Amino acid sequence: MSPSARPVPPAAPPPEEDPGWEARDPTLPAPRTGARPRASLPRRLLRTLLGLLLLGGLLLGGALVAGYLLVDIPAANAAAVAQSNLYLYRDGTVLARDGEVNRENVRLDRIPLTVRQAVLAAEDRDFHTSRAVDPKAMVRAAWNTLTGKGRQSGSTITQQYVKNYYLGQEQTLTRKAKEFFIAIKLEREKTKDEILQGYLNTSYFGRNAYGLQAAARAYYGKDAERLGTAEGAYLAALLKAPSAYDVTTHPEHRPAVLARWGYVLDGMVKEGWLTPGERAALRFPDPQTARPGTGLSGQRGYLVQAVEDYLTDRGIVDEKTLAGGGFRIVTTIDPTRQALLTRAVEERVTHRLDPAANPTDRYVRAGAAAVEPATGRVVALYGGVDYTEQYVSNATRRDYQVGSTFKPFVFTAAVQSGAQTQHGEPITPYTVYDGTDRRPVEGWPGAPYDPANEDGESYGDIPVNAATDLSVNAVYAQMAVDVGPAHVRRTAVALGLPPTTPDLTASPSIALGPATASVLDMAQAYATLAAHGRRGDHTLVAGITRDGEPLPLPAPGPRQAVGREAADTTTAVLRGVVETGTGTAAQAAGRPAAGKTGTAEDDKAAWFAGYTPELATVVALMGQDPESGRQEPLYGALGLPRVNGGGPPAEIWARFTREALAGTPARDFDLRLMPGAELPEVPPVPDGSEEWYDTGEAGPGAAKRPKTPKTHRAPTAG
């Protein structure tokens, strides 16, 4: 081996290639051997938290989208749309409410601006500028509730309206979720004013008052449109805690109430809705004392029933719509006269009944109605002892015979048509008829008819006015034939009886009053006579509105139903009934009056129908078994052998008329009589003056007129 040659070391094996890594840069420090580097614990927690937040955000966003898509605006809940009908007397005071929910909706433009602003100051000052939901307020309210600062809702007015109108008051997460989504959707479909109006009409203010209008009535006895700023602020304060903030019910809470009231007013100042000077001038408006709910007991139920029948029978409102509530109905009923009529019935009849000692007293029912002849307005109505005890109104029922109170319609028809007797004599107040008991009528082509007079009395020849005073059936049955029963029927309908009145049949018996018109029907007919034959259809409703919108009422002007001479001549004859006939008890009214008594068959009803120039009133007593409902005679009732129209009915009429017209000057009738109705010359008084009587037609000191002896039968005059 050459000395210059060196041994060559074996070549190093080539480095193993790592396919997962690139060659390391020789300028970088060598990596440490062992496990890969790991993030610090805080960083890992932060990553996890961010991941969870991202996931939560995605889930929440999905839930919001799903909720918005799945939750629709539902129909209003039944309680939110339920309203009572409010019935008012003619002077605007409350008569009654029907229905359990005391609510009366009112348009927003009828609520004073400062009252609306007071509600916003109390509940949601940013209502007009903020969104339907306020998440920050909801979170804040939840936090305050959890930390013991009191339960708070955090809901906007829109959310509260959704709860009141569409959902309910239950405190559940499901309800809150629905409230959230419905509020968002509702804001897209309704204006702010529509939402505010709905809120004000559905919120609860205590005292069973739902809505601002009901609250204004309950706390201040006035309509919402008449509320002042201070009153509006108090009602707004009630929204937070209605029962606790009722200062008359809880006077011990007065400091808290005043603080809340001040908070509302201060909020109005802060928002620029009230100046500091205006705020300083306001004084706390104490509300009226809470009153028991107005039900339908006593006469109220009868009045409401009559008004509802009036509205539905005339097609003003259909029955289903009326039952839906929300109507404000001003009636024609005068509260003073209503009270006077009730008192007259109670003192002359109800308080005198003693069913324990006198079983017949159990049958006595009373009904009455008073109408202004000049207007047709029903000013008072008595339906019975109590609506909650006796449901059927005796003032409007049509199942008792009107008896002889129908006779004036026969005479009116005779004068109206210029009728004559069977012998060609004109029928006037002094036309002589045969008043013999059970005398067969003449000139009737139908079956023979021979009506009996009361108690079988025979009067012989008797003039019409005397036959009216004494209610002689034989005379009036013949007169009905002379006039024509069909014409008598038409005249009765023209005066005011409904054409559908049961048993209003065109036959000779029509004169005796088998028709079963109601007390109210008869009051209208007699009011037409009092108004000189001009009929203004009776009305029980002066005005009706719903949600502030008036509904049209029938307004037919008064029309001449019968000629003035026919009506006035009838009035002249009926004055004699009061002055010398069967209705003398009515003289206690103390003013000129005309009227007629009547008795139903078998004495099952007794009537007095009468009028002055200012007021027409009809009173009836009826007999009815309270258990079977069967009509019963009134023999022995009130301790009387018989109850007739000249007794308690005329006494009630006189007392009511005297008191109802107290303070007004007495007016005489301005009568225009038919030819031949003037007082005839009076012959010398013969012997046997006991057979003469004073008709009183010309007032005190009137001349005497002859009366044919009851047993004398003169030649037939008709």
Side-chain angles (χ1 to χ4, degrees):
M1 173 181 295
S2 155
S4 59
R6 293 183 179 178
V8 178
E16 295 183 4
E17 294 184 2
D18 185 351
W21 293 87
E22 294 182 359
R24 183 177 63 84
D25 186 342
T27 63
L28 296 177
R32 290 181 297 175
T33 60
R36 296 178 183 175
R38 299 180 63 185
S40 65
L41 180 61
R43 185 175 297 179
R44 291 202 308 274
L45 291 176
L46 180 61
R47 282 182 188 169
T48 301
L49 180 60
L50 290 175
L52 290 175
L53 289 175
L54 179 62
L55 179 61
L58 292 174
L59 292 175
L60 179 61
L64 291 174
V65 172
Y68 186 84
L69 295 175
L70 293 176
V71 176
D72 293 324
I73 299 177
N77 64 61
V81 296
Q83 299 182 68
S84 61
N85 289 323
L86 176 63
Y87 297 82
L88 305 174
Y89 287 108
R90 66 192 296 178
D91 65 358
T93 56
V94 175
L95 188 163
R97 294 183 188 276
D98 68 335
E100 297 179 357
V101 177
N102 179 13
R103 175 187 287 117
E104 182 186 353
N105 289 341
V106 63
R107 294 198 314 265
L108 189 66
D109 59 12
R110 292 184 59 197
I111 300 173
L113 178 60
T114 57
V115 176
R116 286 179 262 162
Q117 292 168 335
V119 172
L120 296 180
E123 295 296 306
D124 188 355
R125 298 177 186 179
D126 298 326
F127 170 72
H128 284 291
T129 57
S130 62
R131 307 296 298 176
V133 294
D134 186 350
K136 285 198 264 187
M138 295 174 67
V139 172
R140 181 173 63 251
W143 176 256
N144 289 338
T145 300
L146 290 173
T147 55
K149 296 182 180 179
R151 177 177 291 181
Q152 299 181 18
S153 68
S155 297
T156 63
I157 277 181
T158 303
Q159 288 174 274
Q160 293 182 59
Y161 172 52
V162 167
K163 178 180 66 175
N164 294 339
Y165 192 74
Y166 297 103
L167 300 174
Q169 304 302 315
E170 65 274 8
Q171 296 289 334
T172 64
L173 290 176
T174 301
R175 197 270 295 164
K176 291 294 290 182
K178 288 181 178 180
E179 174 190 303
F180 181 87
F181 292 115
I182 294 172
I184 294 173
K185 283 191 172 184
L186 193 68
E187 190 177 43
R188 300 172 63 92
E189 297 188 10
K190 290 184 179 290
T191 66
K192 289 285 188 179
D193 281 352
E194 289 174 324
I195 293 172
L196 181 58
Q197 175 176 291
Y199 173 74
L200 292 174
N201 282 324
T202 56
S203 296
Y204 183 61
F205 290 83
R207 296 192 182 184
N208 194 35
Y210 290 84
L212 189 68
Q213 170 66 11
R217 277 279 174 185
Y219 287 90
Y220 293 108
K222 61 175 67 175
D223 293 328
E225 60 188 349
R226 295 178 52 221
L227 289 171
T229 302
E231 294 165 334
Y234 174 64
L235 295 181
L238 286 169
L239 290 167
K240 181 178 182 181
S243 297
Y245 284 180
D246 188 338
V247 73
T248 62
T249 304
H250 297 287
E252 69 277 12
H253 294 170
R254 190 176 186 87
V257 172
L258 292 175
R260 180 67 179 173
W261 179 72
Y263 166 81
V264 174
L265 293 176
D266 291 342
M268 295 178 69
V269 173
K270 184 176 181 180
E271 296 296 322
W273 298 330
L274 202 64
T275 67
E278 292 170 332
R279 161 70 175 90
L282 295 176
R283 297 293 178 267
F284 182 74
D286 282 294
Q288 64 188 14
T289 303
R291 300 174 181 174
T294 303
L296 298 180
S297 60
Q299 296 304 304
R300 291 189 293 267
Y302 299 121
L303 294 171
V304 167
Q305 182 187 67
V307 169
E308 290 181 345
D309 289 345
Y310 176 87
L311 293 171
T312 56
D313 290 349
R314 286 158 181 76
I316 300 168
V317 182
D318 66 83
E319 188 173 356
K320 183 177 180 180
T321 303
L322 185 61
F327 290 94
R328 175 190 178 88
I329 302 163
V330 181
T331 72
T332 60
I333 301 297
D334 182 331
T336 300
R337 289 177 171 177
Q338 178 65 36
L340 291 174
L341 182 58
T342 301
R343 187 170 67 187
V345 174
E346 290 175 346
E347 293 188 0
R348 301 309 305 167
V349 173
T350 309
H351 293 168
R352 295 167 57 190
L353 297 174
D354 187 3
N358 184 7
T360 307
D361 282 355
R362 297 187 305 116
Y363 301 152
V364 177
R365 302 286 181 269
V371 177
E372 290 178 343
T375 63
R377 294 172 181 161
V378 180
V379 296
L381 201 70
Y382 183 89
V385 63
D386 191 309
Y387 183 75
T388 61
E389 298 178 20
Q390 178 192 317
Y391 177 73
V392 177
S393 173
N394 299 320
T396 58
R397 64 191 303 169
R398 294 190 175 109
D399 56 348
Y400 279 85
Q401 294 179 347
V402 301
S404 292
T405 56
F406 192 92
K407 286 186 171 78
F409 308 154
V410 181
F411 181 74
T412 303
V415 180
Q416 173 76 10
S417 63
Q420 299 178 344
T421 69
Q422 297 292 305
H423 296 276
E425 299 176 11
I427 299 176
T428 74
Y430 307 111
T431 301
V432 176
Y433 273 91
D434 185 351
T436 302
D437 182 51
R438 303 206 71 92
R439 172 189 174 276
V441 298
E442 297 179 1
W444 174 244
Y449 184 62
D450 57 344
N453 294 330
E454 187 173 359
D455 297 328
E457 291 278 0
S458 286
Y459 297 91
D461 281 357
I462 185 170
V464 167
N465 59 349
T468 307
D469 291 355
L470 301 171
S471 206
V472 181
N473 290 339
V475 170
Y476 269 89
Q478 183 62 59
M479 191 188 301
V481 173
D482 295 343
V483 176
H487 186 63
V488 171
R489 185 184 190 281
R490 286 193 297 271
T491 301
V493 171
L495 289 169
L497 266 60
T500 56
T501 300
D503 295 321
L504 187 60
T505 306
S507 69
S509 66
I510 194 173
L512 278 59
T516 57
S518 72
V519 169
L520 183 55
D521 296 335
M522 295 297 287
Q524 168 162 297
Y526 273 72
T528 304
L529 293 175
H532 309 293
R534 287 180 65 78
R535 172 181 166 184
D537 286 339
H538 83 268
T539 177
L540 278 155
V541 178
I544 176 172
T545 59
R546 194 182 200 192
D547 295 336
E549 294 293 336
L551 275 68
L553 293 172
R559 59 193 182 280
Q560 202 69 41
V562 298
R564 174 166 182 170
E565 290 183 352
D568 286 0
T569 305
T570 302
T571 297
V573 171
L574 295 182
R575 289 193 65 179
V577 175
V578 173
E579 292 166 353
T580 61
T582 56
T584 54
Q587 294 178 14
R591 55 183 64 223
K596 185 70 185 76
T597 59
T599 306
E601 188 177 4
D602 297 328
D603 282 21
K604 292 177 180 176
W607 297 68
F608 184 79
Y611 53 93
T612 67
E614 307 91 347
L615 194 61
T617 306
V618 176
V619 181
L621 297 190
M622 306 162 184
Q624 183 177 21
D625 188 311
E627 296 176 0
S628 67
R630 184 177 60 249
Q631 294 187 12
E632 296 286 353
L634 291 172
Y635 299 121
L638 295 165
L640 302 171
R642 295 182 64 181
V643 177
N644 53 53
E651 294 168 3
I652 293 170
W653 183 93
R655 181 185 181 97
F656 167 68
T657 302
R658 182 179 68 249
E659 295 182 349
L661 298 178
T664 63
R667 288 173 50 198
D668 205 346
F669 292 98
D670 177 21
L671 302 181
R672 186 182 302 166
L673 305 182
M674 66 174 290
E678 296 80 9
L679 193 67
E681 291 187 15
V682 179
V685 178
D687 293 335
S689 60
E690 69 277 0
E691 297 296 349
W692 290 64
Y693 70 105
D694 182 1
T695 65
E697 287 251 287
K704 303 288 184 178
R705 185 176 306 123
K707 172 182 174 185
T708 306
K710 297 178 182 178
T711 57
H712 176 67
R713 295 192 59 176
T716 298

